[in-house]
Amino acid sequence: PVGLTLRRDKMAHKAVAVVLPVLDFSFCDLQDMKDCLTVNPRCGKVYEQPEREKKPLKDKADEEKKRQKDQSTKFLGLHDTTSEVSEEEAEDLGPGHAQYEASSLKLSNNYLAGDQPGLVSVIQSLVINASHTINSLDLSFNKLTCIPDEIAELPLLGVLYMHANNIIDHNDIKKLKDLKNLYHVTLHRNPMEHSIRNYKYHVLWLLPGLKSLDFSTVTKRERETVSTYVNLCRPEDIDKKKKGRR
């Protein structure tokens, strides 16, 4: 399976479609997001760092010095032990865990519970250039109590599955407002679905750019009903009253 992401060609000023594979950690018995750093995924493409090109010698004098040094150490039967690992070589050693190329990340059907602080940071450590490649994230069928606070750090996110979790506060939906590319979200089978009246219209009011909600296409009539919902129920006033009670 593959996912599609867009990269911008700076020279041509065009959006270039790049096909990247799916990184699948579903059904891996994850209890903490950091488990992804030590558990093998069901499928995924490991990032292979390109070999660093050898830097050309500055001039013939440098080349001659290197040749003489190699000859002297060879003649004495010694190995050159004066060199140390450079900063660039240290970076090549990697962060100590596998990194992947992906545009779609599946973390469904695990035991991720609570608010999982740093969830997006782990994704950025796990996936190369995640902020510019991840456009689909599946966190469904876990025990998460909120939408990740740093979710806006994945600006290309277009699809987000968060159904069948333990999200209670409907104000968490506001965390998704900065995701301008978001068009499909699932939030059903969370406690918040029943904690607010007119759940669907409330979500569409907060996220007017959605084309699909809970696996159902948003119709023109539903968008018109959102306007009626706002005029009659005044959700902004409801939020202010709840804040005042706190």
Side-chain angles (χ1 to χ4, degrees), residues 100-163:
Y100 301 86
E101 292 184 273
S103 59
S104 177
L105 177 58
K106 293 184 177 181
L107 294 161
S108 63
N109 293 277
N110 283 294
Y111 302 99
L112 300 175
D115 57 358
Q116 288 292 318
L119 185 147
V120 174
S121 297
V122 174
I123 293 176
Q124 291 172 332
S125 177
L126 192 68
V127 179
I128 292 294
N129 207 19
S131 296
H132 297 91
T133 60
I134 293 295
N135 58 32
S136 177
L137 177 61
D138 188 353
L139 289 164
S140 62
F141 292 98
N142 279 284
K143 298 179 181 179
L144 297 170
T145 56
C146 67
I147 295 173
D149 291 334
E150 314 90 352
I151 195 71
E153 294 179 18
L154 300 174
L156 290 188
L157 200 62
V159 177
L160 177 63
Y161 299 114
M162 291 212 67
H163 57 280

Side-chain angles (χ1 to χ4, degrees), residues 14-30:
K14 295 179 180 179
V16 180
V18 179
V19 178
L20 294 175
V22 173
L23 180 57
D24 189 357
F25 281 96
S26 60
F27 297 97
C28 286
D29 295 328
L30 304 178

Side-chain angles (χ1 to χ4, degrees), residues 83-235:
S83 62
E84 296 180 353
V85 177
S86 65
E87 292 182 0
E88 293 179 345
E89 290 173 333
E91 290 177 0
D92 289 345
L93 297 177
H97 60 81
Q99 291 182 295
Y100 301 86
E101 292 184 273
S103 59
S104 177
L105 177 58
K106 293 184 177 181
L107 294 161
S108 63
N109 293 277
N110 283 294
Y111 302 99
L112 300 175
D115 57 358
Q116 288 292 318
L119 185 147
V120 174
S121 297
V122 174
I123 293 176
Q124 291 172 332
S125 177
L126 192 68
V127 179
I128 292 294
N129 207 19
S131 296
H132 297 91
T133 60
I134 293 295
N135 58 32
S136 177
L137 177 61
D138 188 353
L139 289 164
S140 62
F141 292 98
N142 279 284
K143 298 179 181 179
L144 297 170
T145 56
C146 67
I147 295 173
D149 291 334
E150 314 90 352
I151 195 71
E153 294 179 18
L154 300 174
L156 290 188
L157 200 62
V159 177
L160 177 63
Y161 299 114
M162 291 212 67
H163 57 280
N165 275 284
N166 289 329
I167 302 173
I168 299 173
D169 190 356
H170 67 272
N171 285 312
D172 256 31
I173 303 170
K174 295 178 181 179
K175 297 177 183 178
L176 305 177
K177 294 180 70 173
D178 292 332
L179 295 173
K180 305 304 180 183
N181 294 296
L182 194 65
Y183 66 90
H184 178 63
V185 173
T186 61
L187 294 166
H188 60 289
R189 294 186 62 181
N190 278 286
M192 72 171 177
E193 183 181 8
H194 307 290
S195 67
I196 182 171
R197 299 172 70 180
N198 301 299
Y199 152 79
K200 175 183 285 189
Y201 301 120
H202 192 82
V203 175
L204 294 178
W205 167 61
L206 290 172
L207 307 175
L210 290 185
K211 296 181 179 179
S212 176
L213 174 63
D214 298 338
F215 298 115
S216 179
T217 301
V218 179
T219 65
K220 181 179 179 181
R221 188 168 186 176
E222 286 174 333
R223 294 193 188 282
E224 293 172 350
T225 306
V226 171
S227 299
T228 304
Y229 163 70
V230 173
N231 292 331
L232 293 177
C233 299
R234 299 189 178 278

